[in-house]
Amino acid sequence: MRELGAWDYVIVGAGTAGCVLANRLSEDADVKVLLLEAGGKDDYVWIHIPVGYLHCLGNPRVDWGFRTASDPGLNGRTLLFPRGKVLGGSSSINGMIYMRGQARDYDTWRQLGLTGWGWDDVLPYFRKSEDHYERNDDVHAQGGNLKVEKQRIAWELLDAFRDACAELGIPKTEDFNGGDNFGSSYFQVTQKSGLRWNGRKAFLRPAANRPNLKVVTKAHVARILLDGGRASGLELDVAGEAARLTVEGELVLSAGAIGSPQLLELSGIGNPQILKKAGVEALHEVPGVGENLQDHLQLRPVFKVRNAATMNVMSRSWVGKAKIGLEYLLKRSGPIAMAPSQLGVFAKTDPSFETPNVQYHVQPLSLPKLGEPLHPFPAMTASVCNLRPESRGHVHITSPDKSVQPEILPNYLSAEADKRVAADAIRLTRRIMASPAMRKYQPEEFLPGPDLTSEEDLVKAAGDIGSTIFHPVSTCRMGTDDAAVVDGRLRLRGFQNIRVVDASIMPTIPSGNTNAPTYMIGEKGADLIRQDRKT
């Protein structure tokens, strides 16, 4: 068995938060930091070219390739559930959208008793990471590790959609990240000069030459070795070879909303009934592990259009493809440089909501489902998701074998409130598309279909056209109650030296994309760990 030695800090998972932790913790030269990644290096060319996400999702080279269980809310369908399996984690395969969420999200966390997690508390951590393309003020910062840029694209059709929103009272804005994201704008993205800027580039590259930091790829952890209320080590394999290591200081789980609860359960930490059913001996009862799964369900209404440039048409001819490729080669701009979603809109499906409750990801293209060819006709997609779903799912192991994916059941649309928002979101989309600003393009609803008008029909349609928008969170929920998995300092309940620092600790899902909040959690988690070491 290969011995990997003893370490002050062992970080499991080199994704978004793990890369931040490795950088910040290794700033202290007197500690030894080990970062473990089950996947390989981010040397796959399609990681770095923005449109290359199409070659990454579902690709076993860089994606775990999870699938959900059959979900009643999706009329029994299962979904591909991508999670990054590579240095940088999901920041290497995601949509590159830089979105913090709303101030209300974090103030709600503070109201739950989580001191230090309000908007004013976390804003400095967002700014600490950021290298903003334009602003250096109380909201944004320059000089940080994470590049945040404008998209290098422009689409007449998307500009018209913004105009249509304005006609309905949804204003145009230039920045979604000041705490109130009401309005429409092109998304800001984590790119540099038309290339993806992932967690590895942002945080591992600057720390690469530190003698106290070691990064090991192809390192898949099987279980945590426990000694009473402490983690004493890990059992794992490295490129197929059995290995072991010793944890002298702290073990930090940053394997994400799927991987972190999976590893805890494989190690005998969780709900005893679930562990027993999976064939794992229950060593420590923490019943909340794997519960409380939240995700944004993305509904994908598609409208055929006329008199407009769309990717559906441009990509069908060799001339169009050549123009697209040439623009990227010469300018690092155009369709190859664009994020999967280009235009964002935050709106209310009902005026009674205090803040926007739905988010649009609008695209000048359409396709039957992720990974399939674009439709053969000109069209656009006005994807819309419920920002604060009440539905809750779970992630639980079904086997003691680490290579067997856990059961992932989001339970989409299981809450009545979510069904109402889904139906209302489709109605709002129809009103936007019927606005005068869109008249030039003669939009014709293709999905879900204009004949569907009743509440019952629209909810069923939502189950038919809904898919994950890749924002799973909250499966190791932070809180002060008995069902919480970690406390406000991200310490695992009942343990002295185990923390969870990733998207799984979020008490509730933020009102927007989740990558930027995960960078923030990495920054704050590193600060908490360093503070506690000095006390």
Side-chain angles (χ1 to χ4, degrees), residues 127-327:
R127 294 183 70 255
K128 182 178 182 180
S129 288
E130 190 179 32
D131 187 10
H132 195 267
Y133 69 97
E134 183 178 61
R135 294 174 56 181
N136 188 10
D137 50 32
D138 292 341
V139 175
H140 288 286
Q142 296 177 335
N145 297 69
L146 186 64
K147 303 290 183 182
V148 177
E149 294 191 345
K150 292 178 69 173
Q151 292 188 73
R152 297 173 166 227
I153 50 119
W155 291 89
E156 178 186 310
L157 192 58
L158 300 187
D159 293 336
F161 193 92
R162 289 188 79 191
D163 292 339
C165 288
E167 290 173 344
L168 268 65
I170 304 167
K172 296 180 182 181
T173 184
E174 294 305 317
D175 184 23
F176 286 135
N177 289 304
D180 176 6
N181 50 23
F182 182 44
S184 70
S185 183
Y186 283 89
F187 290 119
Q188 296 172 13
V189 290
T190 49
Q191 292 182 7
K192 181 182 179 182
S193 303
L195 294 170
R196 178 189 294 273
W197 194 254
N198 64 357
R200 199 275 303 173
K201 293 177 184 176
F203 290 93
L204 289 189
R205 180 188 285 173
N209 294 324
R210 293 177 187 167
N212 63 328
L213 172 63
K214 183 176 180 62
V215 180
V216 180
T217 57
K218 302 292 184 181
H220 195 173
V221 179
R223 69 186 182 103
I224 304 166
L225 301 175
L226 302 174
D227 182 7
R230 286 184 54 82
S232 60
L234 295 177
E235 286 185 355
L236 65 159
D237 64 62
V238 180
E241 180 184 359
R244 185 188 296 257
L245 61 83
T246 299
V247 178
E248 290 192 337
E250 288 204 54
L251 172 65
V252 187
L253 304 188
S254 295
I258 309 302
S260 288
Q262 179 188 24
L263 179 54
L264 289 174
E265 291 187 336
L266 289 171
S267 306
I269 303 168
N271 183 325
Q273 292 179 320
I274 291 170
L275 299 180
K276 181 179 179 180
K277 186 177 178 181
V280 172
E281 180 185 2
L283 301 178
H284 288 270
E285 183 174 356
V286 185
V289 171
E291 295 294 321
N292 203 47
L293 173 63
Q294 299 167 50
D295 186 24
H296 289 138
L297 178 66
Q298 175 178 234
L299 311 183
R300 298 180 59 83
V302 172
F303 290 79
K304 294 181 178 180
V305 294
R306 298 178 183 178
N307 309 314
T310 69
M311 279 294 293
N312 291 24
V313 174
M314 293 173 68
S315 64
R316 289 188 68 80
S317 72
W318 285 109
V319 173
K321 291 176 180 177
K323 287 181 178 179
I324 290 170
L326 189 61
E327 180 177 0

Side-chain angles (χ1 to χ4, degrees), residues 114 117 477-480 484-493 499:
L114 295 165
W117 289 94
R477 179 176 66 83
M478 172 173 58
T480 59
V485 177
V486 300
D487 65 14
R489 300 190 73 81
L490 310 185
R491 297 171 298 202
L492 182 63
R493 286 184 57 201
R499 298 196 205 221

Side-chain angles (χ1 to χ4, degrees), residues 424 451 473 501:
D424 287 345
D451 55 319
V473 301
V501 184

Side-chain angles (χ1 to χ4, degrees), residues 410-450:
N411 280 326
Y412 296 120
L413 300 175
S414 56
E416 288 301 315
D418 294 354
K419 295 176 182 178
R420 286 195 298 273
V421 171
D424 287 345
I426 295 172
R427 295 186 182 107
L428 175 59
T429 307
R430 289 171 171 171
R431 292 200 299 273
I432 295 171
M433 296 301 292
S435 291
M438 296 301 298
R439 195 170 295 151
K440 170 185 175 182
Y441 307 103
Q442 302 175 42
E444 177 186 347
E445 184 174 332
F446 179 69
L447 289 175

Side-chain angles (χ1 to χ4, degrees), residues 471-483:
H471 297 165
V473 301
S474 303
T475 49
C476 293
R477 179 176 66 83
M478 172 173 58
T480 59
D481 58 291
D482 290 343

